[in-house]
């Protein structure tokens, strides 16, 4: 009996979801199709021991009372105890390089003494996501760095008199709403970096967000970006702005600088901006045979949650068809259909917000019901356990 090694790199929404679906549905189907001649084993490589519910970061950084950190950081291993060790292995470490010829990924440990390990693959799924300028929004290796950044922010906010938030996308807008609600005594400024807030949805919704923030006392400045920063006296920070001026503030929160986690991959696998090439967006096949990409690191993605959740089943069905070959029978790969109509929910504080779903603008109370009341942290345990993919 031969063993086919499926390696999934990424310990966030895309990687965890794909691993669960493959283990629950695809691998059993492949072993049945091979009539026992091939064993399939899945290895999940995660830089962190814990899953981080990054969508809740705007509330996490603001208050332990509103949202405890313990609800946002969950051990990945616990979610995979349900599987036979013969079919699953979790490796905690960060991918450093990839050898196309040997078909191995070199992984270095992110906790404890530095060690490297070459992990062989027959099939590779790239789900490494993206990073930002600040550790608040994603895990830069060990999850302890993100926890420490959140705890530090929480400890300094109550005494801050001036707060500058850079970035007018969902993260920056949501953060401004949280801080404007909790710290009305502070002078809070949001730099959109564009000509309006929330540029991926219609201007009227961005204007509604701006109106709600203004009502909370948040100042919004458009067409201005932070281009540099340096520490100054009394634990303050001086930021240099794109118009040539500077400001000195107590706290700077950067919600910009999103980039794909792809530096370990061959350059010819990537787009000009560093995203993994997906040859066919409906199948999510990657730059070479046997390699697939899903989520924020993939070239097809627009950066939204639906670009992960809606892609898991099509991706796994494509993997089944590719690996089963003539034994796939009548099974055909499910085509991925990307949602391109407006779908974005943006809480402005804990009581509501703005947004649209599939092109339909929704009222504030629906934003509260779906997201604003708890930033969807209630779904975190199910994400780690694979609850979204119990059914094929």
């Amino acid at each position: 009996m031969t063993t086919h090694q499926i390696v999934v790199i990424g310990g966030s929404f895309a990687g965890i979801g794909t691993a669960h679906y493959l283990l629950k549905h695809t691998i059993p189907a492949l072993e049945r199709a091979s009539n026992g001649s091939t064993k399939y084993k899945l290895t999940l490589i995660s830089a962190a021991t814990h899953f981080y519910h990054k969508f809740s970061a705007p509330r996490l950084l603001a208050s332990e009372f509103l949202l405890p950190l313990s609800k946002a950081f969950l051990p990945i291993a616990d979610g995979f105890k349900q599987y036979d060790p013969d079919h699953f292995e979790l490796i905690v470490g960060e991918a450093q390089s990839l050898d196309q010829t040997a078909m191995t990924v070199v992984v270095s440990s992110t906790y404890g003494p530095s060690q490297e390990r070459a992990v062989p693959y027959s099939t590779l799924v790239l789900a490494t996501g993206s990073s930002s300028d600040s550790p608040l929004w994603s895990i830069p290796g060990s999850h302890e760095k993100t926890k420490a950044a959140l705890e530090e922010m929480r400890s300094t906010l109550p005494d801050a008199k001036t707060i500058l938030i850079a970035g007018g996308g969902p993260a920056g807008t949501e953060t401004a709403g949280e801080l404007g609600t909790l710290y009305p005594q502070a002078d809070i400024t949001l730099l959109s970096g564009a000509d309006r807030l929330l540029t991926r949805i219609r201007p009227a919704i961005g204007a509604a967000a701006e109106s709600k923030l203004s009502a909370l006392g948040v100042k919004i400045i458009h067409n201005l970006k932070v281009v540099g920063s340096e520490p100054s006296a009394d634990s303050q920070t001086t930021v240099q702005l794109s118009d040539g001026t500077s400001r000195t503030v107590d706290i700077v929160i950067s919600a910009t600088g999103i980039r794909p986690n792809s530096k370990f991959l061959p350059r010819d696998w990537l787009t000009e901006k560093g995203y993994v090439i997906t040859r066919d967006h409906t199948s999510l096949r990657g730059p070479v045979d046997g390699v697939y990409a899903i989520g924020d690191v993939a070239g097809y993605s627009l950066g939204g949650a639906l670009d992960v959740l809606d892609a898991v089943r099509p991706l796994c069905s494509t993997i089944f068809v590719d690996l089963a070959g003539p034994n796939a029978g009548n099974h055909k790969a499910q085509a991925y259909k990307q949602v391109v109509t407006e779908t974005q929910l943006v809480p402005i504080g804990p009581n509501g917000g703005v947004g649209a779903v599939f092109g339909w603008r929704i009222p504030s109370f629906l934003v509260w019901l779906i997201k604003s009341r708890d930033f969807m942290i209630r779904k975190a345990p199910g994400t780690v356990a694979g609850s979204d993919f119990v059914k094929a």
Side-chain angles (χ1 to χ4, degrees):
M1 178 184 293
T2 61
T3 299
H4 188 101
Q5 302 284 352
I6 301 176
V7 172
V8 178
I9 309 179
S12 193
F13 292 90
I16 289 175
T18 300
H20 275 298
Y21 195 97
L22 289 170
L23 287 161
K24 290 179 185 296
H25 307 293
T26 309
I27 286 178
L30 283 168
E31 293 188 339
R32 289 193 299 269
S34 75
N35 293 316
S37 63
T38 303
K39 174 186 172 182
Y40 292 84
K41 181 177 180 180
L42 187 144
T43 299
L44 176 63
I45 299 173
S46 171
T49 56
H50 286 58
F51 164 78
Y52 174 40
H53 191 267
K54 63 180 183 179
F55 296 138
S56 57
R59 187 159 296 166
L60 284 170
L61 68 85
S63 168
E64 171 73 15
F65 174 74
L66 288 177
L67 196 56
L69 290 181
S70 60
K71 290 189 175 183
F73 292 90
L74 303 176
I76 294 171
D78 288 355
F80 289 86
K81 289 179 179 178
Q82 58 191 291
Y83 303 113
D84 187 335
D86 287 342
H87 284 108
F88 175 76
E89 180 182 5
L90 173 65
I91 296 177
V92 177
E94 189 169 3
Q96 297 295 332
S97 62
L98 183 144
D99 187 326
Q100 294 184 70
T101 303
M103 296 180 71
T104 58
V105 179
V106 175
V107 178
S108 64
S109 55
T110 43
Y111 299 80
S114 179
Q115 296 179 331
E116 287 194 344
R117 171 181 177 181
V119 181
Y121 68 86
S122 309
T123 295
L124 180 65
V125 179
L126 300 169
T128 47
S130 59
S131 300
S132 61
D133 291 340
S134 168
L136 294 169
W137 315 111
S138 58
I139 294 180
S142 165
H143 74 288
E144 295 293 350
K145 295 178 182 178
T146 296
K147 285 184 69 175
L150 290 166
E151 288 167 347
E152 181 182 8
M153 183 62 65
R154 289 174 166 185
S155 69
T156 55
L157 278 169
D159 297 324
K161 294 181 174 61
T162 52
I163 301 170
L164 181 70
I165 302 167
T173 301
E174 290 170 353
T175 299
E178 295 297 308
L179 300 188
T181 301
L182 284 173
Y183 302 105
Q185 76 281 3
D187 183 345
I188 302 172
T189 301
L190 173 62
L191 305 183
S192 72
D195 58 2
R196 62 185 179 91
L197 298 180
L198 306 174
T199 56
R200 288 194 175 181
I201 52 179
R202 75 191 76 168
I205 297 178
E210 184 165 345
S211 177
K212 288 179 179 292
L213 288 175
S214 296
L216 293 173
V218 176
K219 300 180 182 68
I220 297 140
I221 302 176
H222 297 301
N223 298 310
L224 193 61
K225 297 180 180 181
V226 173
V227 296
S229 66
E230 58 185 6
S232 59
D234 300 322
S235 299
Q236 292 182 307
T237 300
T238 298
V239 295
Q240 291 79 43
L241 303 175
S242 56
D243 65 354
T245 64
S246 64
R247 288 189 180 203
T248 298
V249 296
D250 294 325
I251 293 177
V252 178
I253 300 174
S254 174
T256 62
I258 301 299
R259 56 191 176 276
N261 296 326
S262 62
K263 63 182 180 181
F264 68 97
L265 295 171
R267 189 65 191 85
D268 59 355
W269 285 18
L270 307 177
T271 68
E272 184 178 340
K273 293 184 177 181
Y275 294 90
V276 179
I277 294 168
T278 44
R279 290 175 290 170
D280 177 358
H281 289 1
T282 63
S283 71
L284 309 184
R285 292 184 179 95
V288 297
D289 290 345
V291 175
Y292 306 83
I294 183 172
D296 289 358
V297 76
Y300 78 88
S301 177
L302 299 175
L306 292 180
D307 285 337
V308 174
L309 292 175
D310 289 354
V312 169
R313 287 179 175 84
L315 167 63
C316 294
S317 73
T318 296
I319 291 174
F320 173 79
V321 168
D322 289 351
L323 297 186
N327 295 325
N330 295 325
H331 185 94
K332 297 186 183 299
Q334 177 183 341
Y336 169 60
K337 298 179 181 178
Q338 190 171 42
V339 175
V340 294
T341 53
E342 288 178 308
T343 299
Q344 195 171 84
L345 303 178
V346 183
I348 309 292
N351 300 315
V354 300
V357 176
F358 303 126
W360 295 90
R361 184 172 177 176
I362 63 172
S364 179
F365 84 89
L366 279 182
V367 178
W368 171 85
L369 183 66
I370 299 170
K371 187 175 181 181
S372 177
R373 56 189 170 122
D374 65 355
F375 269 80
M376 302 179 78
I377 199 75
R378 61 191 180 277
K379 291 182 171 291
T383 297
V384 175
S387 300
D388 288 331
F389 305 109
V390 172
K391 296 181 179 180

